[in-house]
Structure formats: structure tokens, C-alpha cells
Amino acid sequence: MAAPEPGPAPAAPAPTGAAAVTEAALIRNFSIIAHIDHGKSTLADRILELTGAIDRREFKDQFLDSMDLERERGITIKARAVRLEYRALDGQTYFLNLVDTPGHVDFAYEVSRSLAACEGALLVVDASQGVEAQTVANVYLALDHGLEIIPVINKIDLPSADVERTRRQIEEMLGLDAGQALAVSAKLGTGIKEVLEAVVGRVPPPPSRPEARLRALIFDSWYDAYQGAVGTVRVVEGTLRRGMRVRLLATGKEGQVQGLGCFTPHLRMVEALGPGEVGFVMAGIKAVADMRVGDTITGAENPAPEALAGFKELKPMVFAGLYPSDPDAYGALRGALEKLCLNDASIVCEPETSPALGFGFRAGFLGLLHMEIAQERLEREFGLSLIVTAPTVAYRVKTAGGESLMVDNPARLPEPGRVVAVEEPFVLATIHLPAVHLGAVLGVCEERRGRQVELRYLSHQRVIVRYEMPLAEIVFDFHDRLKSLSRGYASLDYEFVDFRAGPLVKLDVRLNGDPIDALSSIVHRDKAYERGRALCEKLRDLIPRQLFDVTVQAAVGSKVIARETIKALRKNVTAKCYGGDVTRKRKLLEKQKEGKRRMKQVGRVEIPQEAFLALLRIHQ
Amino acid sequence: MMTADREGPSLPDRPARQGDATLDARGQARAPAAAAAATDPRGEDRQGSVSSFALYVHIPYCLAKCPYCDFNSYAVARWPEQRYLAALLGEMGRRAEEPPWRGTPAKTLFFGGGTPSLFAPESIEAILDRADSLFGIEPGAEITLEANPGTVDRAKLEGLRRAGVNRLSVGAQSFRPATLETLGRNHDADQTRQAVRLARRAGFEQLNLDLIYAVPGQTSDDVVRDVREAVALEPDHVSAYCLTFEPGTQFHSLMKSGRLLPPSADRQADFLGAVNRELASSAFERYEISNYARPGCQARHNLAYWRAEPYLGLGAGAHSFGPAGGRWRRWWNERSPERYCEAVLGGAARLAETGEEWPEGRGLAGEFVFLNLRLQRGFALLDFERRTGCSFGDLFSSEAARLVDAGLLRIAEGRVRLTERGLELADSVFACFV
């Protein structure tokens, strides 16, 4: 394995002198906001082509997407920002940094940090589809950060394109001036030059304070087995140089800058990054947890007195048990989780045991999508077969002994006699939505035990509502519900407020009389009956018929509140033996056996992985 | 008397043997080998050479491909009968030079397909003559041919019988027009009845009827009526198959797209119960999961598969299994008839073989178990030990205990077998042994 050589890549021209930085007046930092399928990747491809960043020979569709987490010259790269050179009509060569953003409420914080690294954004809207929901939330976020937004109406080559209507929509739904919106076809390459001219002409250059004390914003970080934590940064003021000692203001960690670089989109090492420049930094810091998104890098010798605004310590919101389907794979799971946590500072985990599932881990995630991504990576990258238990929020329990316990596993809720109060986390949820869907959205907020704190019309078509709600009511499927109720146009953001006591009870599930701890949940007393019934029905559908009858019960304490029966399997036999073709019969049986292996045997009952997530699916 | 299975019928010898001096001579020449076979009722000895074997011949052609069928068969208007026949004879000749088949007589022959009844009786006769001269066909051997009722007439049946075929397996499938239509069969119930009548008249003593049930649209009454219609034709043997939607078939894709709805597992269980009751009341014993026979009329050829005894398969896509150098070898042929012919007639060193495996240890033992357990009588613990060199308890004690506990398996009087309920849930049991 060749270690990356510091210094400019031999093949690439080096317009930035060895130690010189780019003049801020020639830098433009921007991102692209678009609904899925509206042409973000295609527009990025055209921009890369037009600026000569990639030549025809290496071109492939969706170039940037395809570069996610590849290795180049010994470093795991993640091209979250690409540096492009563009010779504008005014004769000047500009340096454009195209910053990519993730797109889900679980990662709202990462999106906000990426936007904070920019001065402008291209808003891409499909001329035949018009403004779509996913766009709306990010436009508001971009406006909050004071970004210059340039509307770009794409796909004007389509017969169904309606540029004027799209222009009106952008004005009415987003409150943006669409008078100067650009009409382009990324597919055909029409109008791309105009887009780049608009970026140069309308996006303000970053402020230039090269002699100020260094402050650089980390807006992405990842783990490389050889380099440790690698961060993508935007230098706000001062200059980041190779060899200098730096300090991270939030975590207090210090290190020496061992490498600086950028992606063009190919990796290029540089000696320094000046104000407004975007690039990556390796500072000999091992864990991603010590190089957090939103943190500020400053010089260790002459540190800036204040960090950049906006850093948040991300707290896991959702907890679930992770167990290997095969008990022998516990060690493999532990190793895989250690690696995953090195890469993702927002996952927390610790060992736990379950009477039903054996040895495993309790892990905390930012949200449900985050959890699903982690599960998928563990299964795909590490070849594990996992049981993930019903996710839950963390409760605070006051005991008779005057203690205060955090309970992130419902099965660990102390005996009712010992509990004085169960408190649940409340959040302030902010929802942007079109006024036409207000009734439906208010309805679901009330149903989820929300208390309205604000309702304000932004225009006659757009409303903002704020509700205080139990976190447990929104982390699982609230976002999906909101989207379906508003045909996708509502956006959601939420922040933690406090813990509040409520009439919360533990809902247990029993299979053939045996309680299954991994299926327990904590619910509001008034909802226990309904949840219990729905859960039993869902489990009846998810657990395959066994060789004997299985009763499914939901209980609060000793009281059974719902019950279903899964009747015993009556027939499972293949009529034919396929003559002499024994291999075929054997393969069928092996497949059946493999299916059994993916189930968890609890007592005599075989439970499929999906059943442990039944709690999530009872609203579907 | 030869090594005839207790369960199987005693069948008339090939009629050609009377009156044909050369055949007589060949028959006598084989006598010593045949006599040796009597010393081992399992058809194998400890050295792994065999005293007799089952011979399968695959005829892959059909006039139409049934939409549920996933066998290695091809719909054709005309078929290269002479070329394919030459390939079969060529393959047979080469196998007859190899152990363990060399010098070993066939105790059963089976012409399967496809539609073997498409072939001229002369072609079938040529195969039987060659088998007799190369291996020897034991006196009283069971010689079965599968027939589609739409492809036989009196002359053909008489010709087949004269050629030496003594057991006819008739693909009736159903007697109800709507069911036959759903199944895409190109014959009607009357043709089936006529075929059975003509077969008896032509001298076939052993007669099987194939039935398929749990066809979409069928009611429990329809199933019962089909079984009664079949019984009324007085067959010696009935194979009743629950319809399976096999991947790769037209039925499977229709099911996947929701255009064809198989009956639920519970309804299939009801149908199976009805089939069992009907056939039991007419003195047919259910001796295998899908096979029913009058006393003494079990299909001896198929018993060889279920008992994991040696068999040699000839033709496109045919599978074979037998001892080789102290181990067990399984191999299979090229599936495409044309490529099969090319390989064999082109003198390929490995004939048309495209794959092989050497089952051993726990794998071989598991196969022995899941094949034998298809039989109502299961297997003897002693036979298991003789085959695998291990005791059943040593190898599968925890699986067996769990299954006995669940009421699916019974171990008694030195034999292991499925219970009534175990037969209905056989795949759940078998999966424990693979």
C-alpha cells in the first residue's frame, strides 16, 4: 500500500503555488439543491465536463455519486466537495467549490453544516414536474444561512416542460425571485455556461481575512484505516498550512496537519488552504469522534478565542438491540461495531444481554434511517445476519430510592413498585407546510400527543407550525406520515426540550406464554390497548406457521390485553422427488434450512428478523 | 426366483425371449451374474460394486410444453429420433465398459421424459435389446414407459409390449375438462380411458396413472371425482402429485404476477387428505409421499431412487448415481438434446457429462435419510449403518430427538419412519438432515 505523497499530484497542473493560497475574490462556494430525479447528478456531470475537470475518456454518468467512498492513492476518499476551475467571460479564472449535501431529516445537522460552508446554492427544479417537497426544506435551510439562491429550471428539452409555470411555482411556493431563473437542459448540455456565469456573477465571494487567526469549519469527516480521521473543511478565516499544529475547539484535541488536499475531482495534495477554500485535512487524529462535524479547527499556537457558531453535540435519539442471528457471531458483531463507530461518531453502543436473544449490543442512532443504514452496512460490509429489536427512545425513571435512571431498553424498566415516575423526552417540532394540508397535519400532531406552541402564515400559501411532542411519537414514522398527508410538501425539524412525566406503561409480548423481552415497549397508558392489539395482529402475520399452535399475547403487567393464534402448519411437502435429480431436491431443502437459519429460535418458536421490528410496522 | 422386491410385482419376462434363440443365449450367459445378486438384497456389496442397478432412459421430446412442467423436455413438431437413438446406444455402450455397470444386470428400466411414447416401438426395442446384450436385463425386470394418452394407439401399445415394456405409466393428470385445460394437456379424459383399455388389451399387466391435484380452480369434490375416475380404470398404481409452481415454468410466472392463484397450504392439505382417503378405501396403500399401490405393485424403479440405490441414467439431462472406487459418485448429463447428441456422437471423452459430485460423510448420510424417509416404511437403522459406516444416533441424535418430540418421526423396531403428520410436513423434517 503506497502512502500518499504530499505535494501536488504530478499529473495535475498546479495553479495554486506550492504554499500560496487562492485569492478569495476568485472563489465561489456553492451547493446544488434538488428533488431526487430533478437532475442534480446530471447537472454536476455537465459542470465537471465544461470545466474540464474530467475528460471524455474517464467520463461515466453520475460521476460524483460513483466516487462515494472509493480509495484513491491510498486514502479512502469521499468527494463531498469538488474544486473546479472555470475561465469566465470576464477573462478571469475562478475556483468553484461544489459542495454536496445528504438528504434526510436524520441528517439535517450535516446538511446545515454543508450549507454553512457555502455562499450560494443552485436550486434545480424539473420543468415538467415543478417544485417538489424534498426541495422545500433545504431551500428554507439555505435561506436561513443567508445563501444566494439561483433557481435553475432543468429538463426544458422535455415535451412536457413548462418553464413559465415552474417560474411561477418557484415564486409562489418558495417566495424566491424567479425572474432571473436559468432555463437549462443538463441532459443536452444547454445553458450550462450560463449557470457557471451566474455562479461567478451572483454568488458572493467569501470574505478574505488571511491574516486572522485560523478558523475552519468541519462539515464532513470519515475514517481511513491508515490516516485516521479525515475531515472536509471550509476555511473561514486565517490559513491552514501543512505541518502546523491545530486544535479542535469543541473536542479540545490537538494534532499536526500531515496532509491537506482537495478533489478536482481527483485527489490533489496542497500545502495550504486560505480563506474561503474548501478541502480535506488529515491531522493525525485517530477517531472520527474527535473530528466532529460542526467543530472548528484553529491553530494550536495562536488559537481563535471563539468557535464558529452552530456546533451541536449530536445525541442519539433512537436505541435498539443488535444481536447476531447466529450466537457464535457475537465476536464478529463486536468487531464490526467497533469499526462502524470509528467511522460514525453519532453511533453509541454498549454490550447487553437478552433472555430471548442472548448476547448483543444496545446501540443509539440519530434516527430510524440512520439505524437502517447502520444495519445494512453491518450486514453487507461485514456479512453479518442481525436481529434488530424494536427501536425505542430513552426514558428517565425516578425510583422510590430517589435515583434517576436512564432506560434505553424497555425490558430494563424497573418493577412498577420501584418506579415513582417515568419521564419521556419531549421535543419542539417545527413543520413547514403548504396551507392546504394544514388541517390534516394538525390532526396528526394532536393524535401524537402534541401541544401547539405556534402557528404562523409565512405567505397565504405557506404555514409554519411548532408543536411540543413526545419524541417517541415522532421518531418512528411521523416524518413519513407528514409527507404522505401533505403529498410530500411538509418538512420537519425537531430539537430536544426536556423530560416530562406521563402515564407510561410497559407493554410486553408473550409467545406461548413466554415473555419476549426484545419485543417489549413503553407506551402511553391510553394507547396500550390499541398498540397491543395491532402488535399481536402484526406478529400473527409476520411469524410463519410453526409445527404447533403459537399464541401471541400482549400484556401490561399481568393483564393480557390482546391475543392472537398462529395455527400450526398443516402441510409442507414437495410432491415430487425429481426422479434421479437428488441435487435439486437437496438445494430446495438447503434453501429452506437457510431460511430457518435466518430466524431466531426463542423457546420452541422460530421468529423471523422482521418480527422484531413489528412495532414499527403497526401503522402501515 | 431373482432378487425381486417383496413390494414389487413379479413381471412377465420380455416376450421376445421366447422364440428368439440369440436372446435366449444371451439370457443364459448372464445367469451367473444374476445369481450372485441374490446374496445381497440391497443390490450392493461392501466393496461398493453392485450386483444390479436401475437403468433410466430419458426421451426429452414433447409435442407441447405443459405450462407447469419443469422437466428437461422440449416441445417439437418433429424430433431427430434416429440421431438421438444412436446417441443413447453410444452412451450405453461406453458406460457398459465402466465399473460398476460393467457386467452388472439391470433390474429395472424406465423410459421417462418428455414423452417417450412419441418414439417408435422399434426404437424402444433397439434400446432394450442393446441393454440386454450389454448389461443383461434380469428375468422379471420391471420395464416402464411413460405415455401421454394423446400419443398412443393400439398398434403402438402392442409394439411397445412386444418390445419388452411391461409396465405403462399413463399421464392422465385429471378427468375434468376444465382442469385438463388449465394444465394445458393436449388430450381428453376419453383418450385416457381408451389408452388404459388398449394397454390392458395389449398385455400390460402393470399400469400406473399419474394425477395432479390442487390445480387452480379445482374444488375438493373435483379432486375426489378425479381419484374415483382413476380408480374406476383399475390401475395397479397411482401417483398423485400436488401441483408445484416450479421456478422457470409458465405457471410460476403467472403466479408471481398474480394471474394464477394456487390454493392455500390449508386447502392443499385438505385435498391431500381427500386423496389419501379415497385411495385407501380402494385398497391402495400410500407407500411414498405421492405414490399409492395395490399390494405387490409398488414402482420398483422409483424405489431405487428413494432407497439411494445405484442407478444409471442415459440421455439428455439424465442423472446417475453409483459407487466408484470405494466412494459414491453422482453425475449428470448435458441438458440440451442437440448438445447431448453432439457430445456422445462426437466421441467426447467424458460423453455428455456436465457435472459431478462425490457425496460423503454427513452429506451422504443426510441424502440417504431424506430419500428413504419419503417411503412410508422409512429405513432400517442397519441399512443406514451399512451405507454410511456410522450409527444414525451418533450422527443425528439431536435432530431425531427434536423430531420425535414434535411427533413427526418415529423410531421403533429398528426402523426410522415419518409419522402420519410427518408425511404431511416432510420438507420440514428433511431440512433438518441437509
Side-chain angles (χ1 to χ4, degrees), chain B residues 222-235:
Chain B
D222 294 334
V223 174
V224 168
R225 255 195 297 273
D226 270 348
V227 175
R228 287 184 183 160
E229 289 265 18
V231 168
L233 295 176
E234 302 183 328

Side-chain angles (χ1 to χ4, degrees), chain A residues 87-399:
Chain A
R87 192 174 169 82
L89 295 176
D90 64 9
Q92 286 276 15
T93 296
Y94 290 86
F95 300 91
L96 315 181
N97 290 306
L98 169 54
V99 174
D100 196 15
T101 56
H104 188 273
V105 68
D106 282 7
F107 306 112
Y109 175 66
E110 276 92 334
V111 176
S112 85
R113 294 306 83 202
S114 295
L115 293 177
C118 300
E119 277 79 29
L122 297 173
L123 165 64
V124 180
V125 180
D126 183 325
S128 67
Q129 306 284 321
V131 174
E132 300 236 24
Q134 196 184 328
T135 319
V136 179
N138 284 341
V139 169
Y140 282 110
L141 209 52
L143 288 172
D144 284 349
H145 285 88
L147 266 52
E148 174 69 26
I149 295 181
I150 301 171
V152 175
I153 299 172
N154 189 21
K155 304 201 188 179
I156 56 166
D157 55 299
L158 292 182
S160 54
D162 187 339
V163 176
E164 281 318 305
R165 194 189 47 145
T166 309
R167 228 183 264 280
R168 276 198 308 279
Q169 268 196 344
I170 292 172
E171 301 207 334
E172 286 166 11
M173 296 185 61
L174 301 171
L176 296 173
D177 176 8
Q180 286 183 280
L182 303 164
V184 312
S185 164
K187 189 173 136 201
L188 303 180
T190 317
I192 307 303
K193 185 124 186 115
E194 287 72 13
V195 169
L196 290 172
E197 284 298 318
V199 168
V200 166
R202 287 161 63 182
V203 174
S208 174
R209 284 192 293 274
E211 304 313 323
R213 283 184 280 190
L214 171 67
R215 291 203 294 173
L217 170 70
I218 303 172
F219 64 91
D220 190 26
S221 68
W222 66 91
Y223 177 75
D224 177 87
Y226 299 94
Q227 305 293 340
V230 184
T232 310
V233 297
R234 150 75 195 266
V235 177
V236 176
E237 48 197 16
T239 303
L240 184 57
R241 294 180 194 280
R242 193 164 77 89
M244 78 186 281
R245 279 199 71 76
V246 290
R247 178 184 301 163
L248 289 114
L249 284 175
T251 63
K253 290 276 168 189
E254 289 196 5
Q256 184 160 29
V257 177
Q258 292 162 344
L260 286 174
C262 61
F263 298 110
T264 67
H266 299 292
L267 179 141
R268 182 198 295 179
M269 304 308 291
V270 298
E271 285 296 299
L273 292 171
E277 286 198 280
V278 172
F280 64 86
V281 55
M282 299 175 289
I285 287 167
K286 185 166 183 289
V288 168
D290 293 324
M291 196 184 268
R292 300 222 159 177
V293 171
D295 200 350
T296 302
I297 298 181
T298 190
E301 312 291 327
N302 189 15
E306 234 179 289
L308 296 162
F311 175 73
K312 273 201 285 189
E313 176 96 29
L314 281 186
K315 287 249 165 50
M317 295 281 186
V318 170
F319 298 84
L322 301 180
Y323 291 83
S325 302
D326 172 5
D328 294 341
Y330 174 78
L333 174 59
R334 188 179 52 209
L337 273 172
E338 276 167 8
K339 289 209 180 87
L340 198 63
C341 290
L342 276 177
N343 241 312
D344 186 342
S346 49
I347 298 176
V348 298
C349 62
E350 57 183 46
E352 74 168 9
T353 55
S354 149
L357 302 176
F359 291 97
F361 293 86
R362 177 110 319 224
F365 305 94
L366 298 177
L368 217 50
L369 180 76
H370 187 214
M371 178 182 105
E372 282 162 9
I373 290 171
Q375 177 186 2
E376 200 204 306
R377 289 190 61 185
L378 288 170
E379 298 205 310
R380 190 167 38 92
E381 293 171 24
F382 298 94
L384 293 164
S385 169
L386 288 182
I387 304 284
V388 179
T389 67
T392 180
V393 300
Y395 295 85
R396 193 162 73 188
V397 178
K398 302 267 196 244
T399 67

Side-chain angles (χ1 to χ4, degrees), chain A residues 545 547 568-586 589-590 592-593, chain B residues 70 242 246 266 268-270 289-290 311 319 330 357 367 374 408 421 424-428 430-431 434:
Chain A
R545 296 167 71 175
L547 299 176
L569 186 63
R570 284 180 56 201
K571 174 180 175 289
N572 176 31
V573 53
T574 312
K576 282 185 293 182
C577 189
Y578 308 108
D581 186 355
V582 175
T583 57
R584 170 128 185 231
K585 179 73 189 161
R586 195 182 56 222
L589 293 172
E590 278 165 357
Q592 183 166 342
K593 190 173 176 177
Chain B
D70 75 328
C242 185
E246 302 284 359
D266 281 353
Q268 291 180 27
D270 291 340
I289 283 165
S290 305
Y311 50 88
H319 281 239
R330 166 175 297 123
E357 60 182 25
E367 278 177 25
R374 292 190 68 89
L408 302 178
R421 192 164 146 68
E424 319 306 280
L425 295 166
D427 285 358
S428 300
F430 298 165
V434 293

